[in-house]
Amino acid sequence: MGAMDRRGFLDTCAKGCMAAGIAPMLSRVPDVPPMAMGAVGNVSNVPARYFKPLENQEIKCLLCPRHCQIRPGERGLCGVRENVDGVYVTKVYGKPAAIHGDPMEKGPFFHFLPATKTLALGTAGCNLTCMYCQSWQFAQRRPEQTDNESLPPDELVAQVRKYGLRSITFTYSEPMVAVEYLADTAKAAHAAGIKMAMHTSASCNPGPLKDICGLMDAVNIDLKSYSRSFYDDVVGCKIDTILENTKLVAGSDVWLELTFLAVPGYNTDPAVFKLMCQWIAITLGDQVPLHISRFFPAYRLRNVPATSTDTLKDLRKIAYDTGLRYVYLGNMAGDPSESTYCPKCGMMVVRRVGYEVSNTGLDLRSGKCTKCGMKIPGQWT
């Protein structure tokens, strides 16, 4: 087949779907123009949740397993929750440092509202210290050091309705450090019929996570390795916390997908990766989508080369060999591994080329393969 431009590609897919009796997926939602940023030092002083008052106006944060004990005038490791004379406040409520209209696939969410756009945002701060942080420009900084928009929950939801989007995604940095903003936005979004999603490292205490799960429709968790030392030395948290929290989300009503960023020489050992995939299959189920993403040099690992395509394909084969049914390669635009295939008959049911998505064999109402009738898990409409 000769070269085809985008319009021709979409038209061809649409005609093919109609000929096969398949409802085509969209991708014609309006673009969201870049939003002007606010100003450096634009921070909030909204009361925080999940803490315990101590003697002498000290506060013990109960949001994540670090349990930072914070004296007046100080903050915890995340850098966004401060003890102001014995009152615990969040500095990032309604203050996103990054906000964009993203394809849902960028999340990545491949089995949740495919071919739609989401209003994606992230605040300053993180409770991890990943050496390869891909958003270090604001995730590893305090909110006083970043340009922050003023966008409280109601105004955020109004923006989503204005542009006709169907969802909001907290991503880019760690959503749980802005848990108050996340929770209140979710409540306002659901009241307006808008879906909520987040991409998280799951490094938090189970109580707050349970609360948030009750407000989310979809969650993508970074499962960074199955190595205890990798989490200790490169990420800065305990793997046991991540595994238990991932089980917690999988056991909830939230749609779950996983992301593994393959950092060459750090977490790409085939034997360790195989153990992680086995854990996923046995503990979470073989139908949880796994995204294996290509690493590009960033932050403190700028001397590490990008992940080779051979390494990515080898890891994908390992994942399939351990029984996982939906394994994708990320940051590999145009590769066939971006598409969804029916595990039973092998037909491509959803085709992806970068962020272009087309329905090639999925009954959107039933979520079944149109060739063999196998149910493909996900929320497709």
Side-chain angles (χ1 to χ4, degrees):
M1 185 175 70
M4 184 180 293
D5 60 18
R6 178 176 181 272
R7 180 176 296 279
F9 172 80
L10 292 173
D11 288 346
T12 298
C13 291
K15 291 174 182 174
C17 288
M18 286 187 285
I22 306 166
M25 288 178 181
L26 84 64
S27 358
R28 301 238 168 112
V29 293
D31 289 334
V32 179
M35 295 182 185
M37 288 292 99
V40 174
N42 180 20
V43 300
S44 68
N45 284 291
V46 173
R49 304 162 196 168
Y50 305 110
F51 68 93
K52 178 182 179 181
L54 303 176
E55 293 182 350
N56 301 318
Q57 292 190 322
E58 290 193 8
I59 284 173
K60 181 179 182 179
C61 185
L62 302 179
L63 181 59
C64 86
R66 294 184 183 279
H67 289 158
C68 294
Q69 191 161 326
I70 308 166
R71 291 179 293 189
E74 295 182 346
R75 300 183 189 181
L77 182 133
C78 66
V80 302
R81 304 168 71 80
E82 181 173 321
N83 180 343
V84 180
D85 298 328
V87 177
Y88 203 32
V89 302
T90 169
K91 311 297 283 189
V92 292
Y93 187 97
K95 306 294 182 183
I99 182 164
H100 304 283
D102 282 350
M104 208 69 211
E105 286 71 20
K106 187 177 179 180
F109 289 97
F110 278 14
H111 292 229
F112 183 79
L113 301 182
T116 66
K117 279 194 173 181
T118 185
L119 196 66
L121 68 151
T123 67
C126 186
N127 59 342
L128 299 182
T129 55
C130 299
M131 295 171 64
Y132 55 92
C133 181
Q134 304 289 294
S135 303
W136 61 272
Q137 295 90 340
F138 53 93
Q140 299 296 330
R141 290 182 174 174
R142 291 194 169 198
E144 287 81 358
Q145 299 172 303
T146 59
D147 289 340
N148 308 312
E149 177 68 272
S150 289
L151 210 52
D154 288 346
E155 292 183 24
L156 182 59
V157 169
Q159 291 282 341
V160 173
R161 298 184 72 176
K162 175 181 177 181
Y163 292 109
L165 308 182
R166 294 185 58 191
S167 64
I168 298 171
T169 302
F170 275 61
T171 181
Y172 303 139
S173 54
E174 176 49 57
M176 290 302 292
V177 303
V179 65
E180 298 83 7
Y181 186 29
L182 175 64
D184 290 353
T185 297
K187 293 172 185 174
H190 283 162
I194 296 165
K195 301 289 187 181
M196 280 295 300
M198 71 170 180
H199 189 146
T200 177
S201 68
S203 179
C204 55
N205 285 330
L209 185 60
K210 286 180 183 175
D211 292 345
I212 287 299
C213 278
L215 298 169
M216 291 292 112
D217 297 290
V219 173
N220 189 312
I221 293 178
D222 276 334
L223 197 51
K224 300 171 186 287
S225 173
Y226 201 66
S227 163
R228 193 172 301 278
S229 61
F230 181 85
Y231 265 99
D232 286 345
D233 301 336
V234 180
V235 176
C237 72
K238 300 298 181 186
I239 187 173
D240 294 340
T241 299
I242 308 305
L243 298 182
E244 287 302 312
N245 282 343
T246 304
K247 287 165 56 178
L248 187 159
V249 175
S252 72
D253 293 330
V254 174
W255 174 252
L256 173 65
E257 302 194 19
L258 302 172
T259 296
F260 172 83
L261 182 64
V263 186
Y266 281 82
N267 62 356
T268 51
D269 181 282
V272 177
F273 182 77
K274 182 178 180 179
L275 289 174
M276 186 187 80
C277 292
Q278 290 173 334
W279 180 85
I280 294 170
I282 293 171
T283 309
L284 309 180
D286 59 9
Q287 302 210 33
V288 176
L290 173 64
H291 303 265
I292 303 170
S293 289
R294 188 179 196 187
F295 162 84
F296 290 101
Y299 197 39
R300 297 179 180 174
L301 294 188
R302 274 174 283 204
N303 60 331
V304 176
T307 323
S308 72
T309 56
D310 287 344
T311 295
L312 292 166
K313 291 177 179 178
D314 288 346
L315 295 176
R316 183 171 183 250
K317 183 176 185 305
I318 290 171
Y320 271 127
D321 288 346
T322 57
L324 299 184
R325 296 189 168 201
Y326 305 98
V327 185
Y328 304 100
L329 296 186
N331 296 331
M332 293 272 287
D335 192 273
S337 60
E338 293 183 307
S339 298
T340 300
Y341 300 86
C342 174
K344 184 178 180 180
C345 69
M347 184 172 79
M348 179 191 290
V349 293
V350 180
R351 182 181 186 185
R352 300 181 187 84
V353 180
Y355 296 139
E356 297 286 0
V357 184
S358 55
N359 183 359
T360 53
L362 185 67
D363 184 304
L364 295 178
R365 289 188 176 180
S366 66
K368 293 181 179 179
C369 170
T370 56
K371 182 178 180 181
C372 71
M374 181 172 181
K375 178 79 172 178
I376 309 296
Q379 182 172 331
W380 301 104
T381 59

